[in-house]
Amino acid sequence: MFDASTLIWLVSCMLLPVINSLDNGLARTPPMGWMDWERFRCNIDCKNDPDNCIGEKLLMDTADRMAADGYRDAGYRYVSIDDCWMAKQRDANGKLQADPERFPRGMKFLADYMHNKSLLLGIYEDFGTRTCGGYPGSEFFLSDDAQTFADWGVDMLKLDGCNADKTDMSVGYPTMGFFLNKTGRPILYSCSWPAYTGSGAKTDYKLIAKSCNMWRNYADVEDSWASIYGIIQYYGKNPDNFAAVAGPGNWNDPDQLIIGDFGLSWEQQRVQMGMWAIMASPLFMSVDLRTIKPESRDLLLNKRVIAINQDPLGVQGSRLYQLGKVEVWTKPLQKKSYALAVLNGDNKGTPTKMTLTFGETRFDFNGVYAYNVTEAFDGKPLGIFSAKEKLQVTINPTGIFLAVAVPVPKKDLEHLWNK
Ligand SMILES: *[C@@H]1O[C@H](CO)[C@@H](O)[C@H](O)[C@H]1NC(C)=O
Ligand SMILES: *[C@@H]1O[C@H](CO)[C@@H](O)[C@H](O)[C@H]1NC(C)=O
Ligand SMILES: *[C@@H]1O[C@H](CO)[C@@H](O)[C@H](O)[C@H]1NC(C)=O
């Protein structure tokens, strides 16, 4: 059937796959969904707080809202449970089990419920002996637990790093990735590895990207501006050049969206949405979708801002420069376009004015005469700009200006000039 050289070629293709990054076909754009942790934490009191405890009601209510209120159709598809879902002990066969009172119908039922609504189920475990909340960890059970999740129909695993030896992680996390792969079920793999090994030591992000679809690398998000701003500053500094490994299949994860919760002003909610878009971050809402205010919902559903985040090129945006507390970020998009953000970190009472020259934004003017610039939140056209033309923007305190710039073909410009 095959001649010898074809055979050798075929065999070497099978033996020598140079694996540069994880290839499970998932997360080609930043994953989107909902995660219970930041808003609902480890609330296990279903007797006194049945609507807000970590149990099947909260997850099913959330799935209902995601399907009915436009979130799923905007791209938010994972409904992800964080810590505190388990029974305190494994079962007699050593298998993980959901808390029987809070999840009376078990995890397979919940996965079916999600799938019936074209949603996906995410689950949580920990690489160490116990989870951060003290539930059974996966250490010594990696293979069994991967199979349990696959049997339940789970679509995503967040693997935390509490109660574990940091030095084991560079072997342990890839091992769990191997077992997830072996189940044959595509399971998005979210790692917490660099968040635990990162401080001080140099982090090998290329190695992490070989095993994980996304990974946390900084402190947990809290419901405050200080938290959001701190995360943005870390991503602006970009230690160990972690931005460089982001791309289809692999994403840096600055943690959940807290839009619609209690701690952010309206301007600050726009900052989180805009900056998470520029940073090509996974978008996991952590908010009560049953009671969210309409303006926060509309912000989470903003199509133009989501399109920046979900751009198929998958480049993580970076900070170009800072002028005091004002910082300019850009993200290259497909079709030689760009997203541009100007963030005002200052909390002084009055808005800041700034004049931008597109030549300074490192837009590629090679073969491009001008860019057509549109404000991203409301879609307002701002005009057509050559490299030298100036755009004046006004940015509110702890606020953001966000725009998309699309190259204008020369023929369209001539048409405009001839008007
Ligand atoms: C999912 O849909 C199937 C087919 O309609 C149905 O039989 C099953 O009960 C549903 N499962 C859940 C958990 O909603
Ligand atoms: C397992 O890994 C191989 C090689 O990277 C990949 O082609 C395959 O899609 C993966 N399967 C799953 C289920 O992740
Ligand atoms: C510029 O973009 C706006 C949308 O913001 C669009 O309406 C307009 O047609 C574009 N102009 C050119 C010349 O491409």
Side-chain angles (χ1 to χ4, degrees), residues 354-376:
M354 181 167 174
T355 304
L356 289 168
T357 318
F358 285 95
E360 288 166 2
T361 55
R362 286 194 220 148
F363 286 12
D364 186 1
F365 275 92
N366 203 353
V368 174
Y369 292 86
Y371 284 91
N372 187 4
V373 181
T374 305
E375 202 281 334

Side-chain angles (χ1 to χ4, degrees), residues 321-328 343 354-355:
Y321 58 91
Q322 291 168 279
L323 295 168
K325 285 223 161 174
V326 176
E327 42 193 281
V328 176
L343 169 67
M354 181 167 174
T355 304

Side-chain angles (χ1 to χ4, degrees), residues 60 105 108-117:
M60 290 162 71
R105 289 171 279 191
K108 173 90 175 64
F109 163 82
L110 210 51
D112 289 345
Y113 191 84
M114 300 303 162
H115 298 158
N116 276 3
K117 292 186 179 288

Side-chain angles (χ1 to χ4, degrees), residues 143 146-151 178-187:
S143 168
Q147 193 55 53
T148 299
F149 298 144
D151 293 344
F178 171 82
F179 288 130
L180 289 173
N181 180 277
K182 254 188 73 184
T183 67
R185 181 175 180 82
I187 297 178

